[in-house]
Amino acid sequence: MTTTPEPAPAAGPGTDAPAAHVPHVRRFWSVRRIPAALLAAVVLGGAGLLLYDVAAVRADRSAMAWRRELAHALATRPLDDVVIVAGAAVAVVLGIWLLVLAATPGLRAVLPMRREHTDVRAGLDREAAALTLRDRVMEVSGVQSVRVRVGRAKVAVRAVSHFRALDEVRADVETVLAGAVAELGLARPPAMRVRVARPTRKEGKRK
């Protein structure tokens, strides 16, 4: 579980106790340290190298060979050259990747929980939620094994029942699952998809 404190809003003059309403819940944003560090290292290295070469030229020294070759290649190569097209494609892909990272929150493994207090944010790991739901479904009579996958908007449950009618087991599983999902305290309760089947021969041999 992830908990992030937030500064409480300042109370204005004449403001009474905070109203009993559910605060707006947003997804957790990833800090993305690795992409930011890589981009900063590349920009810093390139800018430092270029600045050093410009300073050397200003000091009446010859420019570095790589800059002379790059300037010559850009001046003489046609736009449909393979190297030019490949370089442009790489630059476009990197640009799109950076835009996607900047516009998406990330941290898909953390589900935001309801905010009972305006200055506290909490999140629940999807694997922990799946384990909790699995344990609750295993308590249903007739359930032999359960597989639970928790997504951002849907919970998929596949249960194997070795006795009792499948419709009865499915109804009990849906009831238990609905209560367990409500107890998780998620801000956006996911939809549920439940499948109940008899054990296959392979599953029966394993038992």
Side-chain angles (χ1 to χ4, degrees):
M1 181 179 294
T2 303
T3 305
T4 304
E6 291 186 351
T15 304
D16 297 331
H21 68 281
V22 179
H24 178 67
V25 178
R26 298 168 298 177
R27 288 180 57 190
F28 288 87
W29 281 74
S30 173
V31 293
R32 294 189 171 99
R33 293 186 177 92
I34 294 179
L38 292 177
L39 179 60
V42 171
V43 172
L44 182 61
L49 188 61
L50 183 61
L51 181 60
Y52 173 81
D53 191 45
V54 171
V57 172
R58 292 288 185 178
D60 295 332
R61 295 182 180 179
S62 59
M64 292 183 179
W66 67 268
R67 195 157 73 96
R68 294 197 302 268
E69 293 177 1
L70 180 60
H72 177 72
L74 293 176
T76 56
R77 287 181 182 271
L79 294 179
D80 58 351
D81 186 79
V82 177
V83 177
I84 300 298
V85 174
V90 171
V92 169
V93 171
L94 289 177
I96 294 176
W97 178 57
L98 293 175
L99 288 175
V100 170
L101 290 180
T104 55
L107 290 181
R108 300 177 61 88
V110 179
L111 300 173
M113 302 178 67
R114 289 193 301 267
R115 298 181 63 180
E116 303 295 339
H117 305 281
T118 57
D119 56 346
V120 176
R121 294 183 65 200
L124 182 63
D125 186 78
R126 282 164 53 176
E127 293 184 1
L131 183 60
T132 301
L133 297 179
R134 176 187 176 277
D135 292 342
R136 292 294 300 274
V137 175
M138 283 295 297
E139 298 175 358
V140 176
S141 177
V143 173
Q144 182 180 19
S145 62
V146 184
R147 291 182 181 178
V148 180
R149 290 192 305 173
V150 177
R152 289 177 45 227
K154 183 182 295 185
V155 173
V157 177
R158 185 183 183 277
V160 175
S161 175
H162 57 299
F163 72 92
R164 294 183 65 196
L166 295 182
D167 292 340
E168 296 179 359
V169 176
R170 177 188 174 90
D172 291 346
V173 168
E174 289 178 346
T175 302
V176 170
L177 192 63
V181 169
E183 292 176 358
L184 293 178
L186 300 178
R188 300 177 182 87
M192 294 180 295
R193 186 180 65 183
V194 179
R195 294 178 57 188
V196 180
R198 294 299 184 193
T200 60
R201 293 182 179 180
K202 292 182 179 179
E203 293 173 341
K205 291 180 180 180
R206 291 175 184 175
K207 295 297 181 181

